[in-house]
Amino acid sequence: MPKETLNAAEVREMLIQVADKIIESEPILSEADRKLGDGDHGIGMERGMNAAKAKLDTTEGEPLGKQFMSVGMAMMSSMGGASGAVFGTLFRNGGKALGDADSFGAPELATFLTAAADGVMTRGGAKPGDKTMVDALKPAADKAEEVKDASLPDAIQAVAEAAEAGKDASSAMRATMGRAHTLGDRSIGHPDAGAVSVSIIIGTMRDYVMG
Amino acid sequence: MSSIRKLINDPLKVADELVEGLVEAYNGECVHVGQRSLALKNIPDNKVALLVGGGSGHEPIYHGLVGRNLADGAACGDIFAAPPPDIVLEATQAVNRGNGVLYLYGNYAGDVMNFDMGAELAEDDEGIDVRTVLIWDDVCSAPPTQKHKRRGIAGLVPIVKLAGAASQEAKTLNELEAAAKKAVLHTRSVGVSMSPGSIPATGKPTFEIDEDKIGLGMGIHGEPGVSEIPMTTADELTPMMLDLIFKDFEDDEEIEALKEGDEVLFFVNSLGSTTMMECLIALRKAKELLTAKGLKVYDVMVGPLVTCQEMAGISFSITKMDDELKRYWDAPCQSVCFSKMEGRYGG
C-alpha cells in the first residue's frame, strides 16, 4: 500500500532502508567512480551510511527534520572528502529546512530537495551540466516543486524518475569539476558516481513510499 | 590483475592505525589530537600557527610534515579523502596559540569544502582567526590562467618547508599568508605515472594504464594528465618533464620565466614504487639540463615523500628561489617526512 504521508518514525525507517541500499550498492558506486575518479566513492558512501545507521539507532522519537539532519552529520563526520561534504550537506540542509514539520508529504519533499540542492550547489560550487551529483539532484528538486500539490506517491514517483533521467543524462556531459575535470572529453560516456548515488537514494525513498 | 598484498589489519581502519603509528614514530614530539589529527607538543604561545592536512595514503606527507620549523599540526583524512570538518576543527584548536591559524593544503574540491567548513566552525564557534593558502603546483592540471583548477602535488613539501620556517618569524597571520603564497607561486611540478597504486579497502587500482605507456602529467591519485606517451627512457622523459615546467614559468604572467643565473630548488619525488635508483638516474639528467639552461641548483631533494601507495612514477618540482625563500630554506627542520641541517648541501 503506498503511503500518503510519512511520520517521523516512518522517515527514520525510510532512511535506514536508504542506508542499506547504498551499502549494498558499494561495488556499483566504486566501479562508476573508477571510470572517472579514483574508485573510492562506494567505500566512502558505505562508511557514511554505516555511520548514519548507527546514528539513527539513537534518534527514535526525534522530529523528522532531525532524522534527515542526523544522517547528514553522520555522513559528513565519518566520510570526509568531497562526498562527505556534499552528501552531508544534502541531508543536513534538506532536514534543516523541514524545521518542526510533523508529516512528510509532497510539499515537504519539495522543501527538502530544494534546500538540499541549493546547499550542495553553494558548498561545492557545481552547476547543472558540470557532471556532478547536482545533475541528478537539481532536476529532482525542480520536479518536486512542480508536483508538490500531487499525492506523495505520485510526486515521489515523478521525482525519482527525474533523478534517474538526470543521472543518465550526466553520461553525455563533460566533467568540468573535481578530479575528473582533467579527463576532458574522455569523461563522456559514463554517468557521474555522485549522480548514481543520488538516484539510488531518491529511488529507495520512492520504493519505501510505494510499499 | 592480481590484487596487491598489503600488510594491514582491518582495511577500513588503515588511516586511523597509520596515524597512531606516526605518533609513535614522533616518539613524544607530537601528540595525537581528537579523532585523527596530529600536533606538535610544544607550540610557543602567540605563535602564528601553520596547519596542513589532507587525505591519508600519501605517506609520509602530509601528517609527516608536522615538525620543528615545519607545520604545527595536521588534520588527517581517510585514505585519499579530505578530513571532515570536525577533524579540521580539532586540529585547529590544538595548534591555535591566539595569533591565528594558516591552513596550507592541496587544491582538491573535497579538501577545500571540508577545510572551509572547519574554518567556519573555528571562526564562528571559537573565535579563531583562520586564513587559507591553497597549493596548486601541478602545471599539467590546468593552464596558468586557471590556477584555481590546478591540484597540489609533490611541490607541497618544499612549500610547507618554506612556510614552516616563515611561521617561526611571522608576527601576524598576514605575514605568514604572504610568505606561503610566495612559496606556492614560485613552485611548479610535473608528474608522470607508469602503473597505479591501489586503495587498501578495495585492493583495486586507482586507474588503468597500458603497460607500454607513461601518463604524462598525472596526479597523485592517478588523475589523468596531458597525454599518454610510449614507455621511454629516463633520459628521454626527463627533458619532456622539465620543458613543461619551464614553459609554465614562461606562460604564467604572475611570475618571470626562468633565466640564466636564476637559482632553483629541485625535487625529484617517487610516487611510491619507483626506486631511489630511478630517481637518481632522472636527477642526473635533470641536473645536466638545468645547468645547460644556466640555472643554479641551490639545493636538491630526492626520495619518496609524496606517494600514492605502490604507484610507479616520479615528479619533478622546481622552486624559483630569491633571498627571502633562501632564508626560509636555510633554516634547519625536523620531522618524520623531511629533515635537514642548517644551510644547504654544497653551501
Side-chain angles (χ1 to χ4, degrees), chain A residues 26 30 34 37-40 43 47 76-82 85-86 89 92 123-124 176 178-179 181-183 186, chain B residues 12 78-82 84-86 110 113-114 116-117 120 141 149 151 199 202 204-206 208 221 223-225:
Chain A
E26 183 277 317
S30 288
R34 222 139 57 82
D38 57 12
D40 62 359
I43 299 289
R47 182 191 296 263
M76 202 177 273
S77 294
S78 61
M79 294 167 69
V86 291
T89 298
R92 205 169 64 140
R123 180 53 69 193
T176 61
R179 287 177 194 164
H181 91 263
T182 40
L183 277 167
R186 285 170 286 170
Chain B
L12 294 176
D78 215 315
I79 301 295
F80 306 154
D86 39 349
M113 286 187 255
N114 283 283
D116 279 357
M117 285 189 276
E120 286 162 21
S141 49
K149 287 193 173 178
R151 56 196 173 221
I199 299 170
T202 60
K204 298 237 173 90
T206 62
E208 284 159 19
H221 308 86
E223 298 94 330

Side-chain angles (χ1 to χ4, degrees), chain B residues 72-320:
Chain B
D72 295 302
C76 314
D78 215 315
I79 301 295
F80 306 154
D86 39 349
I87 289 186
V88 173
L89 175 63
E90 288 165 354
T92 307
Q93 290 169 317
V95 299
N96 176 45
R97 291 296 178 273
N99 204 3
V101 179
L102 184 78
Y103 291 176
L104 180 62
Y105 58 90
N107 184 26
Y108 293 90
D111 291 290
V112 173
M113 286 187 255
N114 283 283
F115 274 93
D116 279 357
M117 285 189 276
E120 286 162 21
L121 295 171
E123 287 177 328
D124 297 349
D125 302 351
E126 310 291 326
I128 300 172
D129 199 3
V130 174
R131 213 70 62 76
T132 297
V133 172
L134 298 173
I135 295 172
W136 43 259
D137 56 306
D138 184 350
V139 305
C140 293
S141 49
T145 49
Q146 295 181 37
K147 296 202 186 84
H148 63 283
K149 287 193 173 178
R150 285 189 171 178
R151 56 196 173 221
I153 56 171
L156 73 91
V157 181
I159 289 167
V160 171
K161 191 297 172 219
L162 296 166
S167 78
Q168 307 301 319
E169 51 181 83
K171 300 274 187 294
T172 64
L173 191 51
N174 277 341
E175 283 177 29
L176 177 56
E177 182 188 24
K181 275 188 171 163
K182 183 177 197 176
V184 171
L185 184 66
H186 282 237
T187 301
R188 309 291 162 110
S189 307
V190 165
V192 299
S193 180
M194 294 165 281
S195 73
S198 63
I199 299 170
T202 60
K204 298 237 173 90
T206 62
F207 64 94
E208 284 159 19
I209 186 165
D210 292 341
E211 273 183 20
D212 56 352
K213 292 276 170 57
I214 295 180
L216 186 61
M218 286 187 90
I220 57 171
H221 308 86
E223 298 94 330
V226 286
S227 60
E228 284 187 5
I229 58 170
M231 183 66 197
T232 184
T233 62
D235 279 5
E236 291 198 4
L237 182 63
T238 298
M240 295 165 83
M241 293 172 65
L242 283 179
D243 283 346
L244 285 166
I245 300 182
F246 294 156
K247 186 164 187 313
D248 197 63
F249 276 99
E250 282 161 26
D251 292 350
D252 186 358
E253 290 178 354
E254 290 187 71
I255 193 161
E256 278 184 45
L258 291 169
K259 59 179 189 308
E260 199 172 336
D262 281 348
E263 292 181 282
V264 296
L265 176 65
F266 188 64
F267 174 25
V268 182
N269 175 62
S270 161
L271 272 303
S273 68
T274 296
T275 59
M276 192 65 158
M277 173 193 82
E278 295 161 271
C279 292
L280 292 171
I281 290 171
L283 172 61
R284 156 194 154 278
K285 184 66 180 178
K287 179 69 192 294
E288 176 195 318
L289 295 166
L290 293 167
T291 305
K293 199 178 163 69
L295 300 172
K296 291 182 191 158
V297 176
Y298 187 74
D299 210 342
V300 171
M301 305 167 70
V302 56
L305 301 186
V306 179
T307 68
C308 179
Q309 300 293 297
E310 64 283 354
M311 188 195 285
I314 59 170
S315 63
F316 293 161
S317 302
I318 289 181
T319 304
K320 185 181 179 183

Side-chain angles (χ1 to χ4, degrees), chain A residues 121 125-136 138-139 142 173 176:
Chain A
M121 289 191 284
K127 318 175 292 298
D130 286 339
K131 198 180 183 88
T132 68
M133 67 187 285
V134 168
D135 291 307
K138 182 74 169 109
D142 290 348
M173 294 172 187
T176 61

